[in-house]
Amino acid sequence: MKDAIAREIGDSVLSAGDAIKIFIYGHPDMTTEGKVSETGNITFPLLGEVAVEGLTPSETERKIADLLESRDILRKPNVVVISVSRQSQMISVLGYVRNQGRFPIEGKRNLTEVLAAAGGIVQDGGDVVTVIRSIGNSFEKKEVDILEMVRAGDRSSDINIQSDDLIYVERAPRFYIYGEVQRAGTYKLERNMTVIQALSTAGGLNLRGTERGIRIQRRDSSGSYQLFTVKSNDLVQPDDVIYIKESLF
């Protein structure tokens, strides 16, 4: 109950870089001061490394007391943990989210939690999110397919976010359609969308349109545009330009 109340009144959780001081009443020789390591641990006499990341100071007090008692080191120890300084952990969320910017994080936060804190992905945002992380003098890039993760019901790719991570949501791929359709224009390309589905997105044919001889203008590997005649069940690719011809009859 104490821990629950502490969380409600703002006893924030510990994270890497936070400096804390630990007192044991009646045992001044066990007083310890140190920083939470990058792995989320604090080193304490006779116990070694103790995982504290994601715990409030109150929860840390209880954990250390339980460890001291369970290992027959002290009986009913009275433990006090004081937060000496907090290391502000900041991340950047950019691209097609509702609220771009830098955000503080505390404790462990996974990618979907961070995206939710940024207001979620907007309608024009893509399904694949890129996380760029600094590792020493180099950078690591990870791509997470949010849509596939949700469809598969597998949270294993919902990676934990660390301080200074950059999360970027690209614009969703698009296609263009013009000619004899109800609503010519630019549209979001859904995954595995066919030509007939793209045509439906644009409202279908107008009175002069025909599905015969549908043409697509598409960039090849060299960047040049090529013109193809396609069938209604062919897949549309990003940046395709679909042209619907006028019926001659």
Side-chain angles (χ1 to χ4, degrees), residues 218-226 228:
R218 178 178 297 162
R219 285 186 187 272
D220 60 20
S221 57
S222 67
S224 301
Y225 278 108
Q226 302 292 332
F228 301 90

Side-chain angles (χ1 to χ4, degrees), residues 173-185:
R174 297 182 174 191
F175 71 93
Y176 308 85
I177 186 167
Y178 68 105
E180 304 302 332
V181 291
Q182 298 288 347
R183 297 187 300 273

Side-chain angles (χ1 to χ4, degrees), residues 130-134 139-142 164-168:
T130 301
V131 179
I132 299 175
R133 178 169 299 163
S134 175
F139 293 92
E140 177 184 70
K141 178 181 176 182
K142 296 183 178 180
D164 295 324
D165 278 356
L166 168 63
I167 296 98
Y168 184 75

Side-chain angles (χ1 to χ4, degrees), residues 177-193:
I177 186 167
Y178 68 105
E180 304 302 332
V181 291
Q182 298 288 347
R183 297 187 300 273
T186 305
Y187 294 92
K188 180 178 179 179
L189 177 62
E190 302 294 344
R191 196 166 301 193
N192 297 321
M193 176 178 274

Side-chain angles (χ1 to χ4, degrees), residues 135-153:
I135 302 178
N137 294 325
S138 61
F139 293 92
E140 177 184 70
K141 178 181 176 182
K142 296 183 178 180
E143 292 187 342
V144 179
D145 190 328
I146 299 294
L147 179 61
E148 183 60 31
M149 180 179 68
V150 172
R151 285 179 174 176

